[in-house]
């Protein structure tokens, strides 16, 4: 059984950042593995450790810089990785359909039995890529999975799904399937020193559009970022500083001015 895990490198901005054109300045960004994808990697590695999965492969769309993030997934137990990038993807905004085009081509090559991914990405928060991929490739799917038990012999995944209002749904999903997982599904491990060393020897296969049989027109995004700006704040909030006595005194003064407790 082969498990394919979609992972994403996400950027987090410093508290103080500059905007350059339609993006945040590169110098003000720090990159890391998407939090939700970390749980998907852990779930796949646990399946391998239990003897259910024979191979765990990660796939990401990102430039060469993203290999540092990919290595962390490899250090945690993934066997190898595929990194998709092309000059035609640089400088643009990849919408869900474009990413699905890329992942679909990788799925055709890898032929996985199970695809895992985070329910959403920390940067865009769309939460649509996994289910859109399942629809495109014709796999069964379940989203917001917070418990997973795979019966490979029966070809089924027993899952718990988190629904609105704290309700949970228990359902069976036939394999092959796409599952997007929620935080709390497991406890992602830290990469050990040994794992980090081993990750340096694991394969990260670079793929461009031609390798996947695609063209720039095939993955052209329907979305265009036209402007980025920091909205002006209309808040008149006051941060009260000082020791406990000074803070309490100022708070009492503000409350009196506002008519609270009068």
């Amino acid at each position: 059984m082969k498990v394919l895990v979609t992972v994403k490198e996400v950027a987090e901005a410093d508290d103080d950042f500059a905007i350059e054109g339609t993006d945040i300045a590169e110098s003000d960004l720090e990159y890391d593995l998407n939090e939700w994808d970390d749980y998907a990697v852990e779930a796949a590695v646990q399946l391998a450790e239990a003897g259910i999965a024979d191979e765990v492969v990660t796939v990401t769309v990102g430039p060469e810089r993203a290999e540092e993030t990919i290595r962390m997934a490899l250090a945690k137990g993934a066997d190898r990785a595929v990194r998709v990038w092309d000059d035609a993807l640089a400088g643009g905004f990849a919408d869900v359909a474009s990413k699905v085009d890329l992942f679909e081509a990788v799925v055709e090559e890898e032929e996985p039995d199970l695809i895992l991914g985070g329910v959403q990405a920390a940067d865009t928060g769309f939460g649509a890529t996994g289910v859109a991929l399942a629809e495109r490739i014709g796999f069964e799917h379940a989203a917001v999975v917070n418990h997973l038990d795979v019966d490979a012999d029966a070809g089924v995944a027993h899952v718990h799904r988190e629904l609105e209002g704290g309700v949970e749904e228990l359902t069976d999903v036939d394999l092959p399937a796409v599952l997007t997982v929620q935080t709390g599904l497991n406890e992602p491990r830290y990469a050990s020193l040994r794992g980090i060393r081993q990750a340096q020897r694991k394969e990260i296969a670079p793929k461009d559009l031609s390798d996947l049989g695609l063209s720039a027109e095939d993955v052209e995004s329907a979305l265009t970022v036209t402007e980025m700006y920091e909205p002006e704040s209309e808040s008149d909030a006051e941060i009260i500083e000082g020791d406990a006595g000074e803070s309490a005194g100022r708070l009492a003064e503000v409350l009196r001015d506002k008519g609270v407790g009068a």
Side-chain angles (χ1 to χ4, degrees):
M1 176 179 173
K2 180 189 289 189
V3 181
L4 183 69
V5 187
T6 61
V7 300
K8 185 178 184 181
E9 179 192 62
V10 295
E12 182 176 346
D14 295 336
D15 291 337
D16 295 318
F17 60 86
I19 294 176
E20 295 180 353
T22 58
D23 210 342
I24 295 173
E26 184 72 22
S27 59
D28 294 331
L29 295 175
E30 293 185 1
Y31 295 91
D32 202 354
L33 177 65
N34 180 47
E35 179 184 7
W36 286 266
D37 296 344
D38 200 9
Y39 288 84
V41 171
E42 178 64 28
V45 172
Q46 288 185 11
L47 290 174
E49 291 174 339
I52 297 172
D54 302 309
E55 186 178 28
V56 175
V57 183
T58 68
V59 55
T60 192
V61 178
E64 188 174 354
R65 180 202 63 233
E67 292 197 3
E68 182 177 349
T69 298
I70 299 170
R71 292 283 179 199
M72 293 307 298
L74 294 174
K76 294 183 179 188
D79 297 299
R80 58 184 176 87
V82 176
R83 180 179 65 83
V84 179
W85 192 248
D86 195 279
D87 290 343
L89 301 172
F93 181 85
D95 64 4
V96 172
S98 300
K99 286 184 283 188
V100 168
D101 288 332
L102 298 169
F103 287 142
E104 179 186 18
V106 174
V107 169
E108 289 179 356
E109 285 192 356
E110 294 291 340
E111 298 182 340
D113 303 287
L114 177 64
I115 301 173
L116 297 176
V119 73
Q120 67 184 52
D123 50 5
T124 59
F126 283 170
T129 303
V131 292
L133 176 61
E135 175 68 21
R136 178 76 65 81
I137 62 180
F139 280 21
E140 296 293 317
H141 77 274
V144 202
V145 172
N146 60 9
H147 180 79
L148 172 63
D149 181 21
V150 176
D151 186 340
D153 294 332
V156 65
H158 309 291
V159 304
H160 293 195
R161 298 180 58 237
E162 183 180 335
L163 305 181
E164 296 286 343
V167 176
E168 285 197 2
E169 175 186 77
L170 281 63
T171 188
D172 290 344
V173 182
D174 292 331
L175 302 179
V178 178
L179 306 178
T180 59
V181 305
Q182 177 64 294
T183 57
L185 171 69
N186 48 49
E187 186 65 38
R189 70 193 67 192
Y190 289 99
S192 66
L193 181 59
R194 179 183 179 188
I196 293 171
R197 289 173 176 168
Q198 291 176 336
Q200 300 305 313
R201 299 190 296 271
K202 292 181 179 180
E203 177 190 8
I204 299 179
K207 302 278 186 180
D208 60 20
L209 293 182
S210 62
D211 293 328
L212 299 176
L214 297 170
S215 67
E217 290 73 23
D218 292 329
V219 295
E220 185 175 357
S221 176
L223 299 178
T224 302
V225 179
T226 59
E227 184 180 5
M228 177 177 285
Y229 62 92
E230 189 173 2
E232 294 183 7
S233 174
E234 298 180 355
S235 172
D236 58 353
E238 176 185 346
I239 298 176
I240 299 176
E241 298 178 342
D243 59 29
E246 293 171 341
S247 298
R250 177 54 186 157
L251 178 58
E253 182 181 339
V254 171
L255 293 176
R256 283 196 300 269
D257 292 342
K258 298 295 183 181
V260 178

